[in-house]
Amino acid sequence: MVRSDYERLLKSYWDTKTTDDINLLLGAEDGLYHHHYGVGDYDPGVLTAPPEHRDALILRELHRMENAETELILDALGAVPADARGMDAGSGRGGTSFMITQRFGCRMDGVNFCAHHIDFAERVAKERGWDDRVRFHLANMLEPPFADETFDFVVSNETTMYADLHDLFREFARVLRPGGRYVVVTWCRNDSVDARSSASRRIDEHYVSRMHKRSTYFEALAANGLVPYRVTRHTDEAIPYWDLRNRSGLRTGVEVPFLAGYREKSLDYLLIACERVR
């Protein structure tokens, strides 16, 4: 499952994050626990709410914005029939998988190499009655345990910065059926502005990530027969989420480099939707 020293370090990072309170708090109300961020404007009224209600209202706004980010993926998938099957690469505690199957009624397979995330997601699926359509697999998303051409679509929600893109997209293309779709949302380095900004270095240090250049995404997709049919930039839409988190008691310190990177445009927040053509 673990193939390199870097993956060993990364797995250790996630294996020890059993009490990352912000993600557990954000998903408690609706069972949609995410490990990604949000888009869209927030209600400024939450900042002037009475102190005893302020943090709870901010929490609800942040979670709404996280769900709105996942809706970008769902919209980009287009019409998905109920008999389709999808893979969520780096599925975390299952939030994206659950939202997809809630909308489309299709079968989802989440892949993640963090055992406590898998256990958590399976427990949520059973408690919410989603376990008949959503399954989770303890595996490396660079080695998904599925036969060739298994899936109608693959999604990855802020997970590609932890893997070599050429290796990753080769596997996604392998498990996709011809004409199958791949949708990714990711933060990345905008190499037309700065190939390696201070903001990107600080974020990588915080998350043990290896953020890619924007151009590398398109090179790796093309090399593996994944042709974009939709590319949208959501960099400006990502700023309010980080601004609100930075004004709350939930801040962890990574808010400042994200805000700096998005405002100076050295970072981008992208959605890329592709089809497998060969």
Side-chain angles (χ1 to χ4, degrees):
M1 185 191 306
V2 175
R3 313 181 320 162
S4 67
D5 289 342
Y6 170 66
E7 288 185 357
R8 190 170 294 108
L9 177 65
L10 182 61
K11 189 174 188 305
S12 175
Y13 170 82
W14 285 109
D15 284 349
T16 57
K17 285 180 69 68
T18 58
T19 56
D20 47 341
D21 293 340
I22 184 169
N23 291 313
L24 296 174
L25 289 169
L26 287 165
E29 185 172 335
D30 59 6
L32 299 173
Y33 294 87
H34 299 300
H35 287 274
H36 64 257
Y37 309 120
V39 295
D41 292 328
Y42 61 82
D43 177 2
V46 301
L47 296 174
T48 57
E52 63 270 24
H53 301 301
R54 185 175 184 268
D55 278 350
L57 291 172
I58 289 175
L59 198 71
R60 184 169 292 179
E61 274 295 274
L62 290 172
H63 187 58
R64 181 187 61 77
M65 296 161 81
E66 289 181 339
N67 285 345
E69 185 266 10
T70 308
E71 295 283 350
L72 296 175
I73 292 177
L74 274 59
D75 292 345
L77 284 170
V80 175
D83 61 353
R85 186 177 180 187
M87 184 179 86
D88 182 1
S91 52
R93 289 186 170 98
T96 297
S97 293
F98 295 140
M99 287 186 68
I100 290 172
T101 201
Q102 280 183 295
R103 178 184 289 194
F104 301 117
C106 60
R107 178 178 171 184
M108 288 297 298
D109 290 273
V111 175
N112 195 342
F113 71 0
C114 178
H116 71 82
H117 281 180
I118 294 289
D119 292 342
F120 189 99
E122 288 178 337
R123 185 168 64 252
V124 172
K126 186 173 183 179
E127 291 172 352
R128 299 274 173 164
W130 297 328
D131 54 326
D132 61 330
R133 291 166 292 166
V134 186
R135 300 284 188 273
F136 295 96
H137 307 266
L138 183 62
N140 191 327
M141 67 178 179
L142 283 154
E143 294 180 330
F146 305 106
D148 295 357
E149 301 183 5
T150 295
F151 295 102
D152 299 290
F153 65 91
V154 173
V155 300
S156 62
N157 199 347
E158 295 189 14
T159 61
T160 51
M161 61 289 298
Y162 298 109
D164 179 276
L165 292 182
H166 287 271
D167 292 344
L168 190 64
F169 293 164
R170 186 180 306 116
E171 281 300 292
F172 291 174
R174 180 187 68 79
V175 299
L176 276 172
R177 298 179 179 128
R181 294 187 164 187
Y182 168 52
V183 181
V184 50
V185 169
T186 188
W187 24 276
C188 59
R189 290 185 268 144
N190 181 356
D191 42 331
S192 71
V193 173
D194 190 333
R196 191 68 166 124
S197 67
S198 173
S200 71
R201 288 196 299 270
R202 291 170 65 190
I203 292 165
D204 279 347
E205 290 168 3
H206 186 94
Y207 286 123
V208 198
S209 57
R210 293 180 172 179
M211 196 184 314
H212 301 290
K213 295 185 294 184
R214 185 177 65 182
S215 58
T216 305
Y217 279 88
F218 297 98
E219 293 167 2
L221 290 169
N224 290 286
L226 296 168
V227 177
Y229 61 85
R230 181 183 301 181
V231 178
T232 51
R233 175 186 279 171
H234 300 277
T235 307
D236 289 339
E237 295 170 68
I239 291 173
Y241 174 88
W242 290 106
D243 179 62
L244 182 59
R245 247 182 70 159
N246 197 43
R247 294 168 181 260
S248 77
L250 300 167
R251 59 185 175 272
T252 63
V254 77
E255 295 82 8
V256 172
F258 267 111
L259 285 168
Y262 287 149
R263 285 170 173 161
E264 72 190 10
K265 299 296 189 285
S266 69
L267 303 183
D268 253 340
Y269 196 62
L270 299 181
L271 177 142
I272 310 170
C274 313
E275 290 180 342
R276 180 196 160 190
V277 298
R278 58 173 170 80

